[in-house]
Amino acid sequence: MNILVINAGSSSLKYQLIEVETHEVLAKGICERVGSAQSFHKHGIDENERVIDAAMADHTEAMALVLEALTSGPTKVIDSLEEIDAIGHRIVQGGKYFPRSVLIDDEVIQKIDELAELAPLHNKAALMGIEACQTKLPGKPMVAVFDTSFFQTMPPKAYMYPVPYELYEKYDIRKYGAHGTSHRYIAERAAAFMDEPLGDLKLITCHLGNGCSMSAIDHGVAVDTSMGLTPLDGLMMGTRCGAIDPAIVPFLMEHEDLTPAEVNDLMNKKSGLLGISGISNDLRSVREASEAGDERAQLAYDMYSNSVKKYIGQYIAVMGGVDAVVLTAGVGENCEKMRRMIFSGLQPLGMVLDLEKNKARGGEREISTDDSPVRILVIPTNEEFMIARDTFYILQERQLAEELDLSTRTNLT
Ligand code: ADP
């Protein structure tokens, strides 16, 4: 079954066409700067990737280019759109309404729109992706896969904020988390790697990319996570500050004469690695500068690793222990030095990094010593595959429900 996975950003449209039963990625690409004069389309896998300059005024035009690339010319992988069985959409915010992925209908679309207040850029963009598919692939079943669903199992003591309870009742202000699809994937893969049931394990999962989040997964159930009402909370990130003293916000508004939107911008786009180093949000550039003696770059590096360390400690306390720490995404998968810094000094907590294994690259791997009481794993994330798989399962469920309904009716007549 071929599933088209769509991840729509405010000015981008990322996609993969996945044959879900064989796990094969048939095609992938991204339309960038959608709506601007500099828009372009990158299509293809690894060395076959090609960049096509193409004008796309909106997501629907971008979608038309994607479908054309899939079905014609040198990039063709399917004969016709009939060969796309369904579409899976990544949606950032599902609020309290979506503890799992769902088939998209008008009511679901309305709820995603309602929730846009909690993730303004992301949910509105996802809706543009959905609309583009409705226009270009009318009648195809579509499934929404939410970044927040995996964390709907958190207990109230983890998801509530200690602000007046009425605000929770009035605005649903609480922790929702994000990156849930990635955490769910690496937790499942870690259990398979360890050859143990996920339900027997206490895991700390770390998604360390441009956006960073960690979660505590106790016997297969997410019990805490670092991102909050929005993806701004928690760890220090590329450009986001993560958790800071909330009193800094009114202080800055007053002393720097900032509006709420401006202070939000400062915390989301000008902070984190970029804000401290003054050099870049990209850890590679910060690392190079720190190695060349730049003190602020070194400080940014130290703060980032310290931020991860602190959450490891918290989550060991939350779960009363841990069997494995699992790392993923750009930094988690690739940065040997950052991993070394994160785990330095954590031997008393049972985490012993193997410095040689830590240098290996690529694939699912263990980087702790053979006798480390807590295992440390690197698992490359694959959110697209999870979206395709959820879409597949939901279609199977629907088909089963239809068959059951049919057989019940047949029995009744
Ligand atoms: P996104 O959240 O945008 O998907 P990624 O998961 O691609 O982000 O991660 C981007 C981050 O990963 C950047 O900070 C980048 O510097 C870092 N990164 C990627 N490769 C390496 C590497 N080899 N060494 C250090 N950092 C790396």
Side-chain angles (χ1 to χ4, degrees):
M1 185 185 272
N2 293 334
I3 310 285
L4 181 61
V5 175
I6 299 289
N7 181 355
S10 48
S11 62
S12 67
L13 188 106
K14 247 192 207 171
Y15 60 92
Q16 282 195 12
L17 183 65
I18 299 177
E19 169 26 280
V20 76
E21 282 143 309
T22 60
H23 297 201
E24 192 189 351
V25 177
L26 302 175
K28 67 178 187 179
I30 182 167
C31 297
E32 289 201 67
R33 302 195 192 152
V34 177
S36 91
Q38 290 84 36
S39 56
F40 63 93
H41 178 195
K42 258 195 251 172
H43 180 95
I45 301 172
D46 302 330
E47 63 275 8
N48 292 324
E49 185 178 85
R50 43 170 43 219
V51 179
I52 313 155
D53 285 323
M56 357 173 184
D58 56 28
H59 284 68
T60 303
E61 288 189 16
M63 195 66 206
L65 291 176
V66 172
L67 298 177
E68 196 184 308
L70 294 175
T71 52
S72 63
T75 53
K76 171 176 158 171
V77 285
I78 49 175
D79 288 329
S80 82
L81 299 180
E82 289 307 304
E83 290 177 43
I84 298 176
D85 295 290
I87 304 150
H89 290 271
R90 177 202 176 199
I91 318 280
V92 165
Q93 182 54 266
K96 63 183 177 190
Y97 301 111
F98 300 107
R100 51 169 302 192
S101 307
V102 288
L103 204 59
I104 297 178
D105 59 17
D106 290 347
E107 205 183 320
V108 170
I109 290 176
Q110 196 197 325
K111 281 275 181 284
I112 294 172
D113 195 25
E114 252 175 56
L115 289 164
E117 208 175 347
L118 298 176
L121 290 180
H122 293 108
N123 273 30
K124 288 282 183 202
L127 287 173
M128 291 194 271
I130 292 174
E131 202 180 293
C133 291
Q134 281 175 328
T135 311
K136 294 290 165 195
L137 293 165
K140 287 273 183 229
M142 294 198 283
V143 167
V145 180
F146 301 90
D147 270 21
T148 48
S149 294
F150 184 55
F151 300 118
Q152 281 294 299
T153 52
M154 285 188 293
K157 67 179 177 188
Y159 71 64
M160 289 298 290
Y161 290 114
V163 295
Y165 194 83
E166 299 72 38
L167 295 176
Y168 165 66
E169 294 176 313
K170 194 169 170 188
Y171 299 111
D172 284 330
I173 290 182
R174 48 157 285 181
K175 185 190 275 265
Y176 293 103
H179 291 149
T181 314
S182 176
H183 288 278
R184 181 158 61 104
Y185 177 78
I186 62 169
E188 279 185 20
R189 292 302 313 156
F193 185 95
M194 294 166 78
D195 202 16
E196 305 236 23
L198 182 57
D200 286 353
L201 294 170
K202 292 179 180 187
L203 299 176
I204 296 176
T205 49
C206 316
H207 180 111
L208 307 178
N210 247 322
C212 303
S213 64
M214 288 175 58
S215 64
I217 304 175
D218 196 354
H219 296 88
V221 176
V223 291
D224 208 346
T225 194
S226 60
M227 282 180 168
L229 173 74
T230 72
L232 180 58
D233 198 6
L235 297 155
M236 170 174 172
M237 312 182 208
T239 59
R240 286 173 250 172
C241 58
I244 57 171
D245 181 345
I248 294 172
V249 176
F251 180 95
L252 286 178
M253 290 174 77
E254 200 179 327
H255 290 79
E256 291 280 307
D257 197 19
L258 299 178
T259 62
E262 285 166 342
V263 81
N264 204 28
D265 196 61
L266 180 145
M267 293 187 296
N268 272 292
K269 299 189 184 148
K270 298 176 186 157
S271 300
L273 287 173
L274 173 66
I276 294 296
S277 70
I279 292 169
S280 174
N281 64 315
D282 191 304
L283 191 70
R284 283 167 291 202
S285 311
V286 176
R287 186 180 58 198
E288 278 162 26
S290 75
E291 285 167 358
D294 187 293
E295 285 182 14
R296 273 174 55 185
Q298 184 61 50
L299 174 63
Y301 217 87
D302 292 344
M303 287 171 69
Y304 187 103
S305 62
N306 206 40
S307 160
V308 177
K309 248 189 222 288
K310 286 198 275 193
Y311 272 97
I312 291 178
Q314 271 193 38
Y315 290 161
I316 289 178
V318 163
M319 295 190 288
V322 62
D323 296 304
V325 179
V326 193
L327 301 132
T328 198
V331 176
E333 290 171 33
N334 300 306
C335 193
E336 178 217 338
K337 183 173 176 185
M338 182 54 79
R339 291 192 300 252
R340 212 169 350 109
M341 288 180 65
I342 291 169
F343 291 102
S344 85
L346 296 191
Q347 291 87 341
L349 299 182
M351 291 160 211
V352 190
L353 190 71
D354 183 316
L355 296 179
E356 278 311 306
K357 287 190 203 162
N358 187 38
K359 288 182 187 155
R361 298 187 67 85
E364 295 182 350
R365 56 202 190 271
E366 181 157 12
I367 55 170
S368 45
T369 58
D370 292 342
D371 56 359
S372 174
V374 176
R375 299 174 75 172
I376 309 171
L377 306 178
V378 175
I379 305 276
T381 194
N382 194 344
E383 289 158 283
E384 290 79 11
F385 172 71
M386 287 302 261
I387 295 172
R389 200 185 68 178
D390 275 14
T391 305
F392 174 73
Y393 283 155
I394 284 181
L395 292 188
Q396 302 274 83
E397 269 175 29
R398 185 178 74 160
Q399 195 184 340
L400 195 65
E402 280 168 4
E403 281 167 15
L404 280 173
D405 189 36
L406 209 64
S407 69
T408 323
R409 282 191 221 173
T410 317
N411 288 341
L412 287 174
T413 51

